[in-house]
Amino acid sequence: LAALFLVALSITSCTQKKFHVSGTISDAKDSLLYFENMGLNGPVTVDSVKLGADGSFSFDAKAPDNPEFYRLRIDRQLINVAIDSTEDVKIKASYPTMSYKYDVQGSEECAKIKELALMQMNLQTQLNAIANNPNIPYDQEGPQMQAVLNNYKTKVKTDYIFKAPMKAYSYFALFQTVVIGGRPVNIFDAHSSKADVQVYAAVATSWDTYYPKSERGENLHNIAIAGMRDQRIVQAQQAQGVPADKVSTSGIIDIALPNREGAVQKLSSLKGKVVLLDFHIYASKNSTQRIMWLRDLYNKYHAQGLEIYQVSLDPDEHFWKEQVAALPWVCVRDE
């Protein structure tokens, strides 16, 4: 029986899917390298190793069901790692410059996170330069910092988040921070910016679609809802009455407009479906709340034949494409 148990245990161990993170960190002999899981409740040590003269290390752990975040750490020097499944990530670095000078292979997610981390460091340098510049008047310091932050956020939204909101690096970007006035500040702040709430909502919608019921997806959803509450945009839009003599019935008006890819999408192409036709202004006060409601309806009834044909009335095409990047239903625009 003992032998059979050992065989069964061996088979289970061999078939369990794992990911691997290995490599070298030179000039760190006798340093303790930690491999930590960056959970929602803070870092938890998965493993650690005392580095030898060659600086080699190798960690492995059970592959997560949804994207998860880890980090390599020596003292305060960090390398962030994103794991989606059974990646074999290889990292080469040197101490004490490992946080910003390292090479990563085997994971596009980790490569993108490295780009974001370097951009974040450059942003911090710019903010420090403004704060320490004696030629900048005190009343101009805040506006100049905000302008730099806005430029950063625009680049991150355009080049990373809205291009692939379902990716781990898009989630990572939402929680980057900088230090201003001696305290950490969220770059994207759902509690003080309507535009930032929309970014959180976009990633939350995508994660709900790709990783349903994941803990991190629920976290994004809750942050978006809390942000809407804090900005007082959770109040329902009041229905506006339409005079009876202005109401008439007719057959379908076959709306045919370009979608986000530029292809013409006809309303009649959804014949046979239950279609919710929604005319929308994404720049309106309660847009994010409305999108979250539509997302819930779509997720609940899409399998039963519900489709949403949403016509945008926003004049800015670039803004519109940003807002609909993560929406799974038909989005068209009439300028």
Side-chain angles (χ1 to χ4, degrees):
L1 287 176
L4 288 173
F5 174 77
L6 289 174
V7 171
L9 184 64
S10 175
I11 292 174
T12 301
S13 176
C14 291
T15 57
Q16 186 181 71
K17 292 183 178 180
K18 292 186 176 183
F19 68 89
H20 304 272
V21 179
S22 60
T24 59
I25 299 179
S26 60
D27 300 324
K29 182 182 178 182
D30 295 331
S31 294
L32 196 58
L33 175 66
Y34 291 93
F35 184 57
E36 299 171 326
N37 175 214
M38 298 304 295
L40 293 178
N41 296 320
V44 176
T45 299
V46 177
D47 202 350
S48 62
V49 64
K50 187 175 182 180
L51 296 176
D54 63 352
S56 63
F57 65 90
S58 180
F59 298 116
D60 60 57
K62 180 183 176 182
D65 295 327
N66 301 296
E68 193 50 77
F69 299 91
Y70 300 84
R71 71 182 184 187
L72 297 168
R73 179 177 66 85
I74 298 178
D75 293 332
R76 296 186 178 183
Q77 290 291 309
L78 312 171
I79 296 176
N80 291 293
V81 176
I83 299 295
D84 189 6
S85 182
T86 57
E87 290 95 333
D88 186 1
V89 182
K90 298 187 182 301
I91 293 174
K92 184 178 181 181
S94 180
Y95 188 78
T97 59
M98 58 185 277
S99 287
Y100 59 94
K101 286 186 178 181
Y102 67 93
D103 178 69
V104 58
Q105 297 180 0
S107 170
E108 179 193 10
E109 294 274 21
C110 292
K112 293 290 187 182
I113 284 178
K114 176 186 175 182
E115 292 175 11
L116 287 163
L118 294 178
M119 288 167 55
Q120 178 187 15
M121 292 177 189
N122 183 57
L123 173 64
Q124 185 67 68
T125 298
Q126 294 180 64
L127 295 174
N128 292 344
I130 294 172
N132 297 326
N133 189 339
N135 297 320
I136 298 178
Y138 179 76
D139 62 347
Q140 291 299 311
E141 182 178 304
Q144 289 196 27
M145 285 187 173
Q146 191 59 55
V148 171
L149 282 168
N150 289 341
N151 288 337
Y152 180 87
K153 290 198 287 187
T154 297
K155 179 174 178 58
V156 170
K157 286 191 294 185
T158 303
D159 295 347
Y160 296 88
I161 296 177
F162 289 141
K163 278 188 176 181
M166 79 295 296
K167 294 292 189 178
Y169 60 77
S170 294
Y171 184 105
F172 175 84
L174 290 178
F175 296 94
Q176 288 187 298
T177 62
V178 289
V179 176
I180 298 177
R183 65 183 183 88
V185 175
N186 292 326
I187 297 174
F188 289 94
D189 186 1
H191 297 286
S192 63
S193 167
K194 175 187 174 183
D196 289 357
V197 170
Q198 293 173 334
V199 179
Y200 273 92
V203 180
T205 298
S206 189
W207 276 58
D208 279 351
T209 300
Y210 285 86
Y211 318 112
K213 299 187 183 304
S214 69
E215 187 178 19
R216 291 191 181 274
E218 290 293 330
N219 181 51
L220 289 173
H221 185 93
N222 292 336
I223 291 173
I225 293 296
M228 288 186 284
R229 179 200 62 210
D230 291 347
Q231 297 178 63
R232 298 182 178 179
I233 59 172
V234 291
Q235 297 179 354
Q237 292 180 329
Q238 301 221 353
Q240 297 181 355
V242 179
D245 61 351
K246 300 297 183 183
V247 177
S248 62
T249 60
S250 68
I252 182 175
I253 301 174
D254 193 7
I255 301 174
L257 293 169
N259 64 13
R260 57 194 152 209
E261 285 82 29
V264 173
Q265 180 76 56
K266 292 185 176 182
L267 181 58
S268 59
S269 68
L270 301 175
K271 183 178 180 180
K273 302 286 187 178
V274 178
V275 180
L276 172 60
L277 176 58
D278 182 52
F279 294 90
H280 192 86
I281 300 176
Y282 288 91
S284 65
K285 178 181 178 182
N286 291 317
S287 170
T288 303
Q289 177 194 36
R290 185 179 185 87
I291 291 300
M292 299 293 275
W293 284 347
L294 290 177
R295 189 275 310 278
D296 289 341
L297 283 173
Y298 185 86
N299 289 346
K300 187 175 181 179
Y301 296 111
H302 177 62
Q304 300 175 44
L306 174 68
E307 297 289 350
I308 299 176
Y309 189 101
Q310 190 168 51
V311 182
S312 166
L313 306 180
D314 294 275
D316 186 338
E317 182 174 10
H318 178 73
F319 173 82
W320 166 67
K321 285 185 177 180
E322 286 186 351
Q323 303 310 305
V324 305
L327 297 180
W329 51 78
V330 176
C331 299
V332 295
R333 174 175 168 269
D334 186 352
E335 63 183 11

